[in-house]
């Protein structure tokens, strides 16, 4: 399988190069040149997530140097369960797909682990270490730091807005080994993202470091995410003979595009609903057909606070001439008030506690008509553990939440970060102090 840029300027790129570079040279995002086609029968012998992933991922690896290591890569990626838990007591059939049992309790652990497994193999023989730059407003940085922690010949530099992430999140970004440098920037998330972009364009830095990126512009985040949609849809199909619809909390559209890829590869996936927060760029596109990116606004579902979702570029290429409606996709916007009310209601009704992101999916489900619920089975995608967002969730349910074991583990580590003002010179000095003169050469 080869990959092409969504902007057409770079074509026929192998998987290894697409993973390494992250973004195409023309500024576009990589997509497979064609999609392999599957029938449910081809997965007859596959029951576990890893077995399904092995069949689904193989065509993408056929021309890659990593093909012989695909089983080991998948073993390193799927280290935690992704269960489907039935929501008892609704008028239809709904399962919750829990993607939050990984090391940092959010679905981004899957993509981060796969990137770590592939990039560390692609880089093991190079003399020059790989430096992964990540700007984060929360979940991405933690997942990437955890996945690359203590990896040989790879360093991670996490930039986050100083005092604009929760204490717990700051800790999760800064409690790793000497190959992970956490930098609190006196500025906003946008400042962090700008500094990362400037670093990629800085000739002096680029001659001293080999940079790569680990956000969802990298196709290596989307490919492994396809596996859990395939596994969930096959499991439901086998049990009921029906193709489930998916309701997906959506920000940058990375998780949603993975689901659409799986549907386009022929797996039994029904309609798809993007559950969005008050950032309305995707909803407006659904309503008017116009794509008008705007500045993001802060909501309770912080990881979905995106005003210019980068994976839209992939989605538009995949849709071609079709509208979202033609592709059986719906979009629903969920307000902060609805998120709060849904967390309360589902705790009272089902005894389930959602994180604010997952609450958007549950709310979209409860907004469906009775007919839509009785004629279609649904899978609600649960993207993070509620204990990650305890300041929002605990007052709503009037109870405290236990940390899952993975987060407890992280909580007990020592943490350390440096604070800098937002300039590329400060970033350059920090890199030099840590990596040129420091212990992790
Ligand atoms: C990143 C994230 C999302 C949004 O996922 P996208 O792939 O950016 O659409 C939703 N929920 C949580 C908890 C996240 O961390």
């Amino acid at each position: 399988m080869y990959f092409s840029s969504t902007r057409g300027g770079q074509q026929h790129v192998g998987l290894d190069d697409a993973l390494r570079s992250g973004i195409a040279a023309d500024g576009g995002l990589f997509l497979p040149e064609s999609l392999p086609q599957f029938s449910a029968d081809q997965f007859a012998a596959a029951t576990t997530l890893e077995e399904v992933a092995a069949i689904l991922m193989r065509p993408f690896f056929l021309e890659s140097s990593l093909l012989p290591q695909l089983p080991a890569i998948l073993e390193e990626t799927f280290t935690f369960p992704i269960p489907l838990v039935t929501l008892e007591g609704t008028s239809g059939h709904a399962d919750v797909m829990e993607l939050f049992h990984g090391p940092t309790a959010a679905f981004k652990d899957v993509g981060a682990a796969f990137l770590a497994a592939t990039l560390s193999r692609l880089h093991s023989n190079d003399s020059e270490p790989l430096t992964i730059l990540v700007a984060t407003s929360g979940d991405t940085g933690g997942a990437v730091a955890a996945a690359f922690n203590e990896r040989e010949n790879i360093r991670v530099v996490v930039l986050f807005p100083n005092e604009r992430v929760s204490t717990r999140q700051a800790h999760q970004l800064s409690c790793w080994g000497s190959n992970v440098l956490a930098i609190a920037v006196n500025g906003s998330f946008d400042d962090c993202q700008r500094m990362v972009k400037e670093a990629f364009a800085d000739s002096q830095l680029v001659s001293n470091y080999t940079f790569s990126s680990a956000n969802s512009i990298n196709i290596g985040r989307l490919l492994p995410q396809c596996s859990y949609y395939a596994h969930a849809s096959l499991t439901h199909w086998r049990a009921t003979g029906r193709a489930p619809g998916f309701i997906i909390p959506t920000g940058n559209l990375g998780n949603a595009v993975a689901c659409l890829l799986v549907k386009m590869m022929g797996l039994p996936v029904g309609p798809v609903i993007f559950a969005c927060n008050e950032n309305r760029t995707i909803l407006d596109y659904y309503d008017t057909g116009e794509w008008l990116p705007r500045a993001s606004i802060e909501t309770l579902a912080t990881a979905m606070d995106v005003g210019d979702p980068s994976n839209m570029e992939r989605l538009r290429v995949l849709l071609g001439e079709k509208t979202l409606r033609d592709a059986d996709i719906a979009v629903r916007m969920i307000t902060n008030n609805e998120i709060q009310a849904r967390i309360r209601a589902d705790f009272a009704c089902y005894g389930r506690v959602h994180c604010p992101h997952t609450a958007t999916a549950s709310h979209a489900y409860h907004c469906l008509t009775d007919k839509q619920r009785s004629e279609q089975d649904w899978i609600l995608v649960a993207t993070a553990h509620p204990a990650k967002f305890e300041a929002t969730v605990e007052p709503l349910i009037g109870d405290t939440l236990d940390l899952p074991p993975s987060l407890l583990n992280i909580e007990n580590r020592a943490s350390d970060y440096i604070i800098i003002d937002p300039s590329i010179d400060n970033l350059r000095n920090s890199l030099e102090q840590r990596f040129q003169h420091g212990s992790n050469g």
Side-chain angles (χ1 to χ4, degrees):
M1 176 68 62
Y2 289 91
F3 297 79
S4 297
S5 164
T6 47
R7 300 189 187 172
Q10 211 186 351
Q11 303 198 347
H12 214 58
V13 174
L15 177 66
D16 301 5
D17 286 334
L19 291 173
R20 264 195 290 248
S21 51
I23 194 160
D26 61 358
L29 310 188
F30 287 116
L31 268 176
E33 277 181 356
S34 64
L35 287 172
Q37 294 301 308
F38 294 98
S39 68
D41 296 345
Q42 280 169 271
F43 294 89
T47 49
T48 67
L49 177 58
E50 223 178 294
E51 286 164 355
V52 169
I55 295 171
L56 191 73
M57 290 295 106
R58 192 176 150 80
F60 296 97
F61 278 75
L62 283 180
E63 280 84 19
S64 164
S65 69
L66 296 171
L67 179 63
Q69 302 177 68
L70 180 57
I73 289 167
L74 294 177
E75 199 182 319
E76 280 176 42
T77 303
F78 297 106
T79 53
F80 50 90
I82 300 184
L84 290 173
V85 181
T86 300
L87 210 52
E88 301 288 351
T90 91
S91 62
H93 182 99
D95 286 335
V96 179
M97 177 161 68
E98 295 183 350
L99 295 174
F100 52 67
H101 297 287
T104 67
F107 84 88
K108 295 192 173 77
D109 284 325
V110 173
F114 180 86
L115 263 189
T118 51
L119 288 181
S120 62
R121 285 174 172 79
L122 289 172
H123 253 267
S124 56
N125 300 325
D126 290 11
S127 52
E128 180 66 26
L130 185 66
T131 304
I132 295 176
L133 295 177
V134 207
T136 187
S137 55
D139 284 342
T140 299
V144 170
F148 285 91
N149 186 42
E150 310 287 3
R151 292 267 177 182
E152 265 175 48
N153 218 26
I154 300 191
R155 309 137 162 183
V156 176
V157 180
V158 181
L159 287 87
F160 63 97
N162 193 22
E163 289 175 5
R164 296 199 200 179
V165 303
S166 72
T167 312
R168 184 170 280 169
Q169 274 180 322
H171 181 87
Q172 287 169 6
L173 296 171
S174 57
C175 64
W176 307 102
S178 60
N179 71 321
V180 180
L181 171 61
I183 304 180
V185 174
N186 288 322
S188 65
F189 169 68
D190 293 328
D191 290 316
C192 298
Q193 206 157 32
R194 179 179 48 77
M195 288 165 73
V196 168
K197 284 191 186 140
E198 282 177 14
F200 275 96
D202 184 294
S203 54
Q204 192 200 334
L205 278 174
V206 168
S207 66
N208 285 345
Y209 299 90
T210 308
F211 287 136
S212 184
S213 95
N215 51 30
S216 69
I217 56 174
N218 197 316
I219 190 75
R221 291 268 301 268
L222 270 56
L223 290 178
Q225 288 171 190
C226 291
S227 309
Y228 48 73
Y229 288 108
H231 181 248
S233 66
L234 286 166
T235 303
H236 192 77
W237 171 262
R238 284 174 191 151
T240 65
R242 297 190 292 272
F246 285 89
I247 308 180
I248 308 171
T250 293
N252 236 338
L253 276 164
N255 212 6
V257 166
C259 182
L260 294 183
L261 289 172
V262 165
K263 182 170 181 168
M264 293 174 76
M265 287 191 267
L267 280 100
V269 173
V272 176
I273 300 175
F274 300 165
C276 299
N277 62 20
E278 289 173 43
N279 288 277
R280 30 183 323 135
T281 310
I282 301 171
L283 180 72
D284 287 346
Y285 176 74
Y286 178 65
D287 286 340
T288 69
E290 275 193 275
W291 184 246
L292 298 171
R294 52 179 81 189
S296 62
I297 57 170
E298 274 181 48
T299 75
L300 293 174
T302 48
M304 292 154 53
D305 289 347
V306 184
D308 185 4
S310 52
N311 281 290
M312 189 63 197
E313 204 166 321
R314 287 195 171 105
L315 180 59
R316 295 176 82 170
V317 170
L318 291 171
L319 287 174
E321 296 295 302
K322 285 188 188 170
T323 65
L324 290 173
R325 278 182 188 78
D326 294 337
D328 213 0
I329 296 167
V331 179
R332 183 169 265 279
M333 185 188 80
I334 319 294
T335 64
N336 274 341
N337 286 340
E338 288 170 330
I339 288 173
Q340 290 175 314
R342 180 51 52 195
I343 291 173
R344 279 204 199 92
D346 282 9
F347 182 58
C349 188
Y350 311 110
R352 271 201 79 98
V353 184
H354 303 303
C355 84
H357 315 81
T358 306
T360 66
S362 179
H363 195 72
Y365 173 73
H366 286 89
C367 290
L368 294 171
T369 62
D370 282 340
K371 188 166 152 33
Q372 284 171 311
R373 276 201 295 264
S374 60
E375 291 180 356
Q376 174 66 52
D377 298 346
W378 295 93
I379 295 179
L380 320 184
V381 177
T383 47
H385 192 286
K388 276 195 104 161
F389 302 91
E390 83 288 0
T392 300
V393 174
E394 288 181 350
L396 294 171
I397 60 164
D399 204 351
T400 54
L401 293 167
D402 289 335
L403 280 178
S406 56
L407 289 188
L408 258 185
N409 211 357
I410 290 175
E411 205 83 340
N412 293 331
R413 302 172 70 111
S415 104
D416 184 29
Y417 59 85
I418 59 171
I419 303 173
I420 65 173
D421 284 332
S423 86
I424 190 74
D425 290 333
N426 291 331
L427 177 59
R428 184 185 296 114
N429 291 341
S430 309
L431 290 179
E432 253 170 41
Q433 270 171 17
R434 178 63 163 265
F435 296 128
Q436 304 283 309
H437 312 302
S439 55
N440 189 277

